[in-house]
Amino acid sequence: MDSATTQEKLVDFQHLIAVETARKQIRNAQLLTVFTGVAVIAAWLVGTFVANISGGSVNQSGSGYYWTLEVLFIFGMGYGISRYNVLCSRLMFGYSVVGALHALLTIGVTSLGISARIGALSYKIYALYYLWIGIDAMQRYHLLMKKERSLAADGAVNTRSQFTEQDALQPRSAPAEPLNPTPELVGLCGGDSTQAQWLLSKAKSKHPDRSVAWCNQQVIEQLST
């Protein structure tokens, strides 16, 4: 196999890892959005319970309709983020900005204790950080997909590679026993021993009954085809 083909396979591998990283960051933003929705439901239930035992109005915080719409909005944005919708991620970020400003401006003003308000503000800032990362990851993901479609149209993507995107998405856990890639395998990976180790680990996990030498040879043959 010539150096150009080897480099092409390495570029494909790096592309898959970049896609995996972006997807994980988007998933984190989605999970945070879902958690926010659950927290809003919990806050509404607690507020209703406190209002009932204190004899106050259940809808004293702007009526149950507001809470319902807010929860529907949050879960809707979470679904949109799971579908890689950039607009939904930006709307959720804007919602979190408004929430953070509200939490900041109402510290010590509402009936809640200042510790509760500081906790809410801290969570809003935490949410903003991960949502911002999610927005950036969403944009990178779409650029990567656009590049992948363009390369596929030009016939430049190795679609027959046995190390597919599904492989890249699997967790790269440490092997049960030390796996030592051969110098030839490391050379095919451009001298990157970490990458060679991971490829060998993948082959071993697929063929646990085979020897390390056999797995080394399999990976070498796959990269050489």
Side-chain angles (χ1 to χ4, degrees):
M1 180 177 64
D2 57 29
S3 58
T5 304
T6 302
Q7 184 62 33
E8 180 181 305
K9 287 181 178 288
L10 294 177
V11 169
D12 287 346
F13 176 83
Q14 292 166 355
H15 172 82
L16 296 178
I17 296 302
V19 171
E20 174 195 4
T21 301
R23 282 181 167 172
K24 283 182 177 178
Q25 292 171 338
I26 294 170
R27 261 197 310 273
N28 288 339
Q30 180 206 0
L31 291 174
L32 184 140
T33 301
V34 171
F35 181 81
T36 300
V38 173
V40 170
I41 293 175
W44 179 77
L45 292 175
V46 170
T48 301
F49 176 75
V50 171
N52 283 331
I53 63 175
S54 63
S57 172
V58 173
N59 294 328
Q60 63 182 354
S61 298
S63 91
Y65 294 109
Y66 166 79
W67 291 96
T68 301
L69 290 175
E70 185 175 8
V71 168
L72 289 176
F73 170 82
I74 294 172
F75 283 114
M77 294 305 100
Y79 175 77
I81 292 172
S82 73
R83 307 304 298 173
Y84 306 105
N85 188 290
V86 178
L87 177 60
C88 287
S89 63
R90 289 174 175 171
L91 287 174
M92 189 62 198
F93 182 83
Y95 164 85
S96 297
V97 169
V98 173
L101 290 174
H102 179 266
L104 178 63
L105 296 175
T106 56
I107 289 180
V109 176
T110 64
S111 57
L112 289 177
I114 189 170
S115 297
R117 281 295 170 183
I118 291 177
L121 177 60
S122 300
Y123 173 77
K124 294 292 185 181
I125 295 174
Y126 175 85
L128 285 173
Y129 172 73
Y130 277 96
L131 286 170
W132 180 260
I133 292 177
I135 292 173
D136 179 67
M138 196 93 66
Q139 293 171 334
R140 284 188 285 109
Y141 173 82
H142 285 295
L143 288 174
L144 288 166
M145 291 297 100
K146 182 178 180 181
K147 177 182 177 182
E148 184 174 300
R149 288 190 295 269
S150 175
L151 291 174
D154 294 337
V157 173
N158 181 14
T159 57
R160 292 176 293 179
S161 173
Q162 295 190 32
F163 292 98
T164 62
E165 180 177 328
Q166 256 333 89
D167 293 322
L169 293 176
Q170 297 299 320
R172 286 168 278 171
S173 56
E177 61 183 59
L179 298 176
N180 299 316
T182 63
E184 182 181 0
L185 176 55
V186 175
L188 287 173
C189 293
D192 190 340
S193 58
T194 301
Q195 180 179 317
Q197 181 81 18
W198 182 73
L199 291 174
L200 182 59
S201 175
K202 289 294 300 180
K204 183 64 176 175
S205 64
K206 289 181 179 180
H207 307 282
D209 56 327
R210 297 286 188 170
S211 66
V212 174
W214 186 91
C215 293
N216 263 297
Q217 190 59 37
Q218 281 297 107
V219 176
I220 291 171
E221 290 176 1
Q222 289 167 9
L223 290 177
S224 301
T225 56

